Amino acid sequence: MAGHTDNSITVDAPLDLVWDITNDIEKWPDLFSEYASLEVLSREGDSTTFRLTMHPDESGKVWSWVSERTVDRPGRTVRARRVETGPFDHMNIRWEYEETPAGVHMRWVQDFAMKPDAPVDDAWMTDNINRNSRTQMALIRDRIEQVARDRRSAPVLPG
C-alpha cells in the first residue's frame, strides 16, 4: 500500500507574490512553523538540493533529510523528492499554482510509501501529512496575505 495526500488552499494575493514567497526556500524556516533550518547543498538550473531540519518533536527527536526540488515557473508547478528517504521508501511532492478570481489556488500532492520497518505505517503518515499540510497552508496563506495587504497600503514615495 502507498500513501497519497492532496491538499489545497486559495491565497488572496498576486501569483508572483505567492510563487516568490513559497519558492524562496532559504526563508522556509520563517514561513513554515515546523522547520528549524534549511541548508542549500547544490543548485543546477531550476533544481536545488537541500537539507531540511525540523524543530524537535514531542519526544525531542530532530528529523532531517535531503530533498531535491525542481521549479517550473512557466508551468506553475514544482516537483520534489526526498533523496535521503529516512523512514520513507519514497516521497514525491508536486506543488501547483493556479490563478482564480478569488486568488491563487495552491495545491500540494504527496505520493509516498513507508518502509516496512518504519515506526509508522502509510495510513498513519497519510493522516499526519493531511493534518500538517492544512495547518502549514493556512499559516502560509495568512503570512502571504499580510504581505500583500502591507504592499497595497504602503505609501508611494516620490521618485
Side-chain angles (χ1 to χ4, degrees):
M1 183 174 155
H4 173 83
T5 64
D6 189 335
N7 292 279
S8 62
I9 198 164
T10 299
V11 183
D12 183 13
L15 175 63
D16 285 341
L17 182 63
V18 175
W19 178 273
D20 290 346
I21 290 175
T22 59
N23 288 293
D24 186 353
I25 65 170
E26 287 91 341
K27 293 185 180 165
W28 276 7
D30 298 324
L31 185 62
F32 290 81
S33 64
E34 62 189 341
Y35 300 147
S37 66
L38 185 143
E39 176 190 4
V40 172
L41 303 174
S42 68
R43 280 200 162 89
E44 187 174 323
D46 291 328
S47 295
T48 304
T49 302
F50 58 96
R51 173 168 296 284
L52 197 54
T53 303
M54 297 182 78
H55 293 290
D57 65 16
E58 57 279 346
S59 67
K61 178 155 178 57
V62 174
W63 296 93
S64 181
W65 63 90
V66 173
S67 288
E68 180 184 70
R69 193 166 196 275
T70 303
V71 298
D72 175 8
R73 190 168 187 140
R76 299 179 180 168
T77 59
V78 178
R79 293 194 179 275
R81 67 179 182 87
R82 281 196 182 197
V83 177
E84 286 180 3
T85 58
F88 292 92
D89 178 64
H90 67 274
M91 166 62 87
N92 298 308
I93 304 168
R94 186 174 73 249
W95 286 13
E96 301 170 355
Y97 301 79
E98 179 187 359
E99 284 184 288
T100 72
V104 177
H105 185 75
M106 185 172 64
R107 180 178 179 212
W108 297 348
V109 178
Q110 298 182 46
D111 290 297
F112 60 91
M114 303 309 295
K115 290 179 179 172
D117 61 347
V120 299
D121 63 13
D122 293 337
W124 186 95
M125 187 55 73
T126 298
D127 289 342
N128 185 62
I129 290 172
N130 276 326
R131 195 172 38 257
N132 193 53
S133 291
R134 287 189 289 270
T135 298
Q136 295 302 315
M137 290 179 116
L139 177 66
I140 290 167
R141 177 202 58 212
D142 294 348
R143 289 179 173 172
I144 293 172
E145 288 179 354
Q146 183 61 54
V147 170
R149 282 191 300 275
D150 291 349
R151 287 187 178 180
R152 285 193 295 265
S153 65
V156 177
L157 301 175

